[in-house]
Amino acid sequence: MAERSKVAIVTGAGTGVGKAISAGLLKAGYSVVMAGRRKDALEAAAREIGEESASILLVPTDVTDPASVAALFAATKQAFGRLDLLVNNAGMGSPAVPFEEIPLDQWQKVVATNLTGTFLCTQEAFRIMKDQNPRGGRIINNGSVSAYAPRPLSAPYTATKHAVLGLTKSTSLDGRAYDIACGQIDIGNAATDMTARMTDGVLQPNGTLAPEPRIDPKHVADAVVYMAGLPLDANVLTMTVMATKMPFVGRG
């Protein structure tokens, strides 16, 4: 796209998969609003991506705070006039501890970020997308292979990712009235700081530790760009992008 006519918001854009998705969308011709908790991380990511500054808007955002989320979408509309794509990428895990020892506050933090944050951002996207001209848009949620099968000692993360899958389906259904498409990308072992420990060995269901292969986050970004590029009468509801030899298929 020679002219940047489409606008995207990416949450959790300062590092890892979110940074890669932002770079991919910018390369594909989108104007990108990069949202994340830390301003310094967003600024560093933007410098690394290196696209023209007019195509990037950095908005420090806490997706667990409704006022912060509303401010993100208001800033996007003010800067670019519309919203064509929301990538709900912000998320977090929790320490691997026995189920009965999971602190309530840790459970609540993961639910607030992974599930409630996705819900809040989706609500704000609906409010813009249904009333703009041309109407509609697309929402892509970052799920996980944990939306289908858990790792040991991961109840908070696994529960929220199962819930995100349900939210994706509800969003896809309820968005039909407004020409809003919604899909989910389920990622298996992208090579980010969050998965660094996997190269040394991660707990398996049989109690052993085993290293797991990882993939370049660019492959995830390429998949998101493909999903985003479809016309609104077509949708990828779910897509799994994973390291070929990771033990997800046959987990347990």
Side-chain angles (χ1 to χ4, degrees), residues 85-86 88 122 125-126 129 137-141 171 180-183:
L85 174 67
L86 165 64
N88 280 312
T122 297
F126 262 54
M129 290 175 174
R138 189 177 304 273
I139 298 168
I140 300 175
N141 295 329
T171 302
I180 298 172
C182 182

Side-chain angles (χ1 to χ4, degrees), residues 64 92-93 103-115 160:
T64 70
M92 66 177 294
L104 178 59
D105 68 332
Q106 188 63 45
W107 168 271
Q108 292 172 328
K109 287 178 183 177
V110 176
V111 171
T113 301
N114 296 1
L115 180 57
T160 56

